[in-house]
Each structure stands twice: as C-alpha cells, then as structure tokens.
C-alpha cells in the first residue's frame, strides 16, 4: 500500500515519464528506506527515500544515505512537512550508522532550502 501511495505522490510532484517511474519503483524503491508523512485522512502528502549509496574518499569507501524523491503534495507545501521528514531521515540514518547524507537538488531554489537543513554544495 505504501509503495502505491508514494508512487502516486511522485506522479503529482515530478514530471517524470511513466517508464522512469516504473523503473524507479521496481528497481530502486524499498519500503524500509521510505519515509512518508500522512495527513489526517490517511493520504500521503510528503515522502522521501534514503537510498544506500557507496562513495569513495581516497581509498576509503563509506555508505551514504542518498535522499531521493523528496516531495510534498502541492496543496500541503509550506507547512514544515518536508523538514520533519528530513529530520526523521537523519535520525534513521544515524541509527543505521550511515555517516553522510547526500542529495542533488532538482532546482536552483532548493539549494537554499536544503542549506537550512545542513546540506552544502560539494561539487560544481
């Protein structure tokens, strides 16, 4: 059930092809990596996934938590819902001993938004 709800929210929030959405939810999405914020009626209004992503620094490889598909339904924006989900994601990653969280902002304005959550640009 949660997968279907998150997929529907993805369709509302992103302009991806159905082919990509099917690929993502068949190959990348895992329920244990998904966080969802539900409204009072039980509808998914925000979601994100924390995908495990290995990165190499010098000769050391670490697993990072890549924030993917972070989205809030347009009618539920500006309520602090994504901030709550990101904080929960940090808590979950800390519990899983994941030392670094990464993401790629989809729009220029998101750099400021994610900057308020502690993210900083590391690549040009």
């Amino acid at each position: 059930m949660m997968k279907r709800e998150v997929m529907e929210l993805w369709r509302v929030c992103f302009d991806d092809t159905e082919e990509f959405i099917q690929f993502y939810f068949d190959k990348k999405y895992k329920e244990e990596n998904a966080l969802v914020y539900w409204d009072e009626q039980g509808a998914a209004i925000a979601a994100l996934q924390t995908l495990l992503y290995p990165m190499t620094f010098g000769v050391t490889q670490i697993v990072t938590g890549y924030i993917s598909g972070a989205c809030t339904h347009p009618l539920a924006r500006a309520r602090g819902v994504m901030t709550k989900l990101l904080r929960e994601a940090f808590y979950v990653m800390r519990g899983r001993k994941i030392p670094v969280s990464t993401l790629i902002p989809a729009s220029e304005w998101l750099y400021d938004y994610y900057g308020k959550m502690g993210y900083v640009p590391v690549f040009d």
Side-chain angles (χ1 to χ4, degrees):
M1 171 100 172
M2 187 163 79
K3 181 177 180 178
R4 186 177 65 221
E5 294 269 358
V6 173
M7 190 183 293
E8 287 305 315
L9 184 60
W10 188 294
R11 287 184 180 107
V12 169
C13 295
F14 300 117
D15 191 29
D16 290 325
T17 65
E18 191 60 29
E19 180 180 44
F20 176 81
I21 294 169
Q22 290 301 321
F23 166 79
Y24 183 90
F25 283 88
D26 287 345
K27 303 291 184 187
K28 301 295 180 186
Y29 179 89
K30 291 184 180 171
E31 201 119 310
E32 65 266 18
N33 295 330
L35 292 175
V36 180
Y37 192 94
W38 306 91
D39 69 8
E40 301 81 25
Q41 290 77 37
I45 60 169
L48 62 78
Q49 291 81 57
T50 305
L51 307 180
L52 300 180
Y53 190 85
M55 292 187 98
T56 303
F57 296 98
V59 295
T60 303
Q61 187 177 73
I62 63 168
V63 175
T64 69
Y66 176 71
I67 302 295
S68 175
C71 60
T72 304
H73 192 285
L75 297 176
R77 291 182 182 157
R79 296 185 199 167
V81 175
M82 185 52 63
T83 298
K84 290 176 185 176
L85 277 183
L86 284 167
R87 285 187 181 136
E88 179 68 16
F90 297 154
Y91 177 78
V92 169
M93 286 184 280
R94 187 177 306 123
R96 292 179 179 173
K97 307 279 191 245
I98 298 170
V100 176
S101 175
T102 59
L103 56 75
I104 301 172
S107 301
E108 194 66 34
W109 70 270
L110 287 170
Y111 282 89
D112 288 336
Y113 176 81
Y114 289 119
K116 293 174 186 170
M117 295 299 300
Y119 288 95
V120 296
V122 294
F123 299 108
D124 260 342

